[in-house]
Amino acid sequence: MRQKLVAGNWKMNLTYPEALALVGEITSLAGEAGAASAPTVVICPPFPFLHAVGQQLPPASNFHLGAQNCHQKESGAFTGEVSAKMLASVGCEYVILGHSERRQYFREDDELLGQKLKAALAAGLKPIFCVGESLDTREADETFKYIGKQLTDGLFHLSNEEFAQVVIAYEPIWAIGTGRTATSAQAQEVHAFIREQIARAYDAQAALDTTILYGGSANAQNAKELFSQPDVDGGLIGGAALKAADFTTIIQSF
Ligand code: PGA
């Protein structure tokens, strides 16, 4: 179901005490004030902090727990890996998949991401599936072609029921961690394109029902403008999610 949503991707940052302090600050600043109209907030800490951070989130509130990755198999001899089922068992409801950092540094391709999506869905997790073009692709005027292919190859193999569980995040690679945000018009243009592609692959209702987030140097200053776009339903926030005051301002930017 389409919803206003802000996810904080903490990436590989913070120690355990710092993580607990940050989530404490966020929940006390953002509180549950106006919880009925408040957006869904998904906090995505590193694996070792998941359970403890989840315990700090007010129960039955708009705060939810998410992970940053999962393995494609349910269990087995995969030293160092973490399965979707394990994540669900510590209280995760969401998992980020296909982040450009995973695609680039860990060579995650569409085939592998397809398996991870299936594993996440089978464990009852909602995937936050990332797509986004590089600067070269944008400058070659191939953004739509590239994103269209990422959607078709990465996501549109899911059944209608499976797809209904997915949140999409548009994250132009050139905007991630660079301080160079897409303009709200650039974000809106790609979000509208993504919605069109969903309508083609599934149907018009599925397109209307999908939550599509923007990510890439979104911050306390530009969130309101980005979120005011008709096809932008919220944000996947990296750097600014590590500062409680900034993250709270972003949550309150609808
Ligand atoms: P950023 O990261 O907000 O630091 O640009 C966003 C992301 O990578 O999810």
Side-chain angles (χ1 to χ4, degrees), residues 25-238:
E25 256 187 281
I26 290 169
T27 51
S28 70
L29 276 177
E32 284 187 82
S37 61
T40 298
V41 179
V42 184
I43 306 282
C44 304
F47 289 142
F49 313 153
L50 277 169
H51 185 253
V53 167
Q55 295 293 305
Q56 299 291 311
L57 301 177
S61 71
N62 56 320
F63 284 96
H64 301 268
L65 190 65
Q68 300 172 20
N69 181 32
C70 70
H71 193 262
Q72 62 274 24
K73 291 280 201 278
E74 190 180 302
S75 62
F78 301 100
T79 302
E81 292 295 324
V82 175
S83 75
K85 197 174 166 185
M86 292 174 184
L87 296 174
S89 78
V90 294
C92 279
E93 294 173 72
Y94 291 82
V95 59
I96 300 170
L97 291 176
H99 192 281
S100 61
E101 288 152 17
R102 302 276 337 158
R103 292 178 191 259
Q104 183 183 350
Y105 304 132
F106 303 93
R107 309 256 151 100
E108 296 196 0
D109 59 15
D110 291 322
E111 194 190 333
L112 177 66
L113 290 172
Q115 294 169 18
K116 290 192 176 203
L117 277 166
K118 293 277 186 188
L121 290 163
L125 299 178
K126 296 180 184 67
I128 300 175
F129 187 80
C130 306
V131 296
E133 81 288 359
S134 66
L135 192 56
D136 284 354
T137 302
R138 176 159 284 266
E139 285 176 346
D141 214 8
E142 292 191 338
T143 297
F144 291 146
K145 189 171 148 203
Y146 188 81
I147 306 267
K149 188 167 160 46
Q150 281 187 318
L151 293 169
T152 305
D153 295 353
L155 205 51
F156 291 163
H157 54 86
L158 297 179
S159 69
N160 291 52
E161 293 70 29
E162 289 171 332
F163 182 76
Q165 301 302 311
V166 175
V167 171
I168 296 177
Y170 167 55
E171 297 209 307
I173 297 168
W174 48 271
I176 296 176
T178 58
R180 186 177 164 184
T181 326
T183 63
S184 54
Q186 284 172 324
Q188 167 57 25
E189 190 183 32
V190 177
H191 283 229
F193 169 78
I194 293 172
R195 233 178 265 289
E196 269 168 41
Q197 302 309 301
I198 299 167
R200 277 175 191 233
Y202 296 92
D203 55 44
Q205 194 58 47
L208 284 176
D209 285 348
T210 304
T211 303
I212 309 178
L213 311 179
Y214 169 79
S217 298
N219 59 39
Q221 286 71 45
N222 59 29
K224 214 178 188 66
E225 167 70 17
L226 286 161
F227 297 173
S228 70
Q229 300 303 306
D231 287 298
V232 177
D233 300 313
L236 177 54
I237 316 297

